[in-house]
Amino acid sequence: MLSKLKNSIKHCLAIATWILSVAGCLSAQEPVLSLQAPASVSAGDVFEISYSINVRGAKSFQAPSFKGLDVIFGPMQSQSSSFQFINGRRSQSFTLSYSYRLRAMEAGEYDFGKASIEVDGKTYFSEPFKLTVSQARQNASRTAAPASGRNQNPPSPSSASGQVSKDDLFLRAIPSKRNPYVGEQIVLTYRIYTAIPVEQFSIYKTPSNKGFWTEELKIDPQNQQQEVIDGKQYIYADIRKVALFAQEAGQHDLEPMEVEAVAQIPARTRPRQSRNIFDFFEDDFFTPMELVRKNLYSPALQIQAKPLPEEGRPLSFDGLVGDYEISFQHDNKASFRANEAITFSFEVSGKGNIEMIHAPIIQFPPDFEVYEPRIAHNKNVHPTGVSGKASFEYIVVPRHAGVYKIPSFAYSFFNPSSGRYEEKIIPETVLNIEAGKEISTASTAKSNVQIRNNDIEYIQTKAPSWKTAGRDFLFSPAFWLCLAGEALAFALALALLKRNRKIQSDLVGLRNRKAAKEAKKCLRKAEKFLKEEKVEEFHIEISQALWGFLANKLNIPTAELSMDNVRLELGKKALDENLIACFIETLEHCEYARFAPKGQEGRSMKQLYDEALDIIYKITGALK
């Protein structure tokens, strides 16, 4: 019994000594953050790098920036430990690793800094490293096995297992025109080309297209076609189309669009070294497939917008660009009567920015009561671009019978197809208005006044004034007084005529005085749509009020207005920066509310209306 107790004590002491020795070895181990990375790879290759720390309790790992490389995934954290007892010597190791899988697409040399990690409040660093990326290797093509539910004859990949080269899968941005006129419509198509099966794709980032008015077009991504490029066959599909309208002349840089695609490629487990009966089951038809994520970027584009020509520009031109048909008509009646409504319709239809179509200037007779026109923009968005029509419906009421004339007027636009201005002259309209039903009014006409009891005249209470016989008016004081009065009236009329001619010749002044008047018209219509809760019509009128007010106030064509141009021109007028910022902010909120998806409007309609009214009032006062 005593011997057994001694043996148990010896075993316990041995175990305790072993534990203390192991603990001493671990406590004495110095933390080291090591790196495992290749020195060189080929462009398009997927490779791994790993950072490892040899002690427990490490935290706050920070990797360097892998700028220039595609990070497929990472960091992936793992740990391992081992214990060895050889020839009486004990050893134990622990490793905490952080791994990344990367891809280098462009050849060159890349320098990466140090990684860091924290252990017991102290920071440790790894060594920096340099990576050399050589040109892509040429690989023999393989035939991909058909995937269930997909194309049974997909194109063959030409990359190694686990990799997708830039020649197998890429993205293009194809503009219909690189040198358009300001306001001309161009269609930008984003097209994905693939020589390998693609499981799915998603648009990760769309460019902002600064300097353009944009309109998303309808597409069918399922419509796939084939094309041979450099002797290699691809399947392509259009994944996005957008119509662009340049707002100002000059060079515009379009940012790349980013797309994330999931490609399907063969996964080879081992290379073939000999042919035997079991190689049948390793034929391409039975090759397992793997999915690889690939980030695609469309190339950056430069669009050089041309200014509209000055030669041949008609006086009626107001910035409209496109290819349009114009018509002006009224009710087809046999006769028209006084105090009965007549409807006039002005319509512009064709291809271009339908939102930019403006109302014509029609001079109705003064005897006509004219109501605010009803404006409707019907826009058609299809893969080839934007088209549609804008209609302006006027309701007028002639108050008296007679023959009335509506003078001819002109409406013009610039046609980029022909490179010329086209002006439509609407001929004079003659209306024969017959007598209609009289409308009773509170006032009484002069002809209806009857004189009663005119048989008795009032008695003259003052003596009549007498004129001396033989005295002429000629050369009398009254004669000279009248003559002086006529000369003064003639001089005053001549001065007023000169002043009126000067005012009429001052186009800038006319547009300046027209600014507030036109803005008030749009705001009255916006107020009407606000009460009727017509969201789209309301935001169109607010936007037209703001842009039209500034175009007239600063004498700038509407087509040449942009946010930057507005800020610059208002700054030249020495306006307060806060007032300029308020105008820009109000306009941006209005534009956002027009084109934001339903349910994502920024500000209420009432708030936008009040802000637009206040800003127009303040700028009008500041620019007097």
Side-chain angles (χ1 to χ4, degrees), residues 177 181 184-185 321-324 351 413-420 422:
K177 198 172 185 179
Y181 287 99
E184 179 183 359
Q185 176 178 209
V321 179
D323 188 3
Y324 301 101
K351 295 181 179 179
F413 59 91
F414 179 77
N415 192 337
S417 299
S418 61
R420 295 180 305 191
E422 297 185 14

Side-chain angles (χ1 to χ4, degrees), residues 232-254:
K232 187 173 183 178
Q233 187 172 350
Y234 292 89
I235 292 178
Y236 70 85
D238 295 338
I239 61 175
R240 183 176 184 244
K241 280 191 175 184
V242 60
L244 301 178
F245 303 86
Q247 294 180 315
E248 56 185 12
Q251 179 175 305
H252 301 271
D253 297 323
L254 299 182

Side-chain angles (χ1 to χ4, degrees), residues 331-336 432 434:
D331 292 335
N332 187 15
K333 294 183 179 179
S335 61
F336 299 98
N432 186 12
E434 300 176 357

Side-chain angles (χ1 to χ4, degrees), residues 143 147 168 224 264 269 286 295 351 419 440 510 548 580:
T143 304
D168 289 333
Q224 301 178 4
Q264 188 183 66
T269 56
F286 297 95
N295 289 339
K351 295 181 179 179
S440 60
L510 286 175
I580 298 175

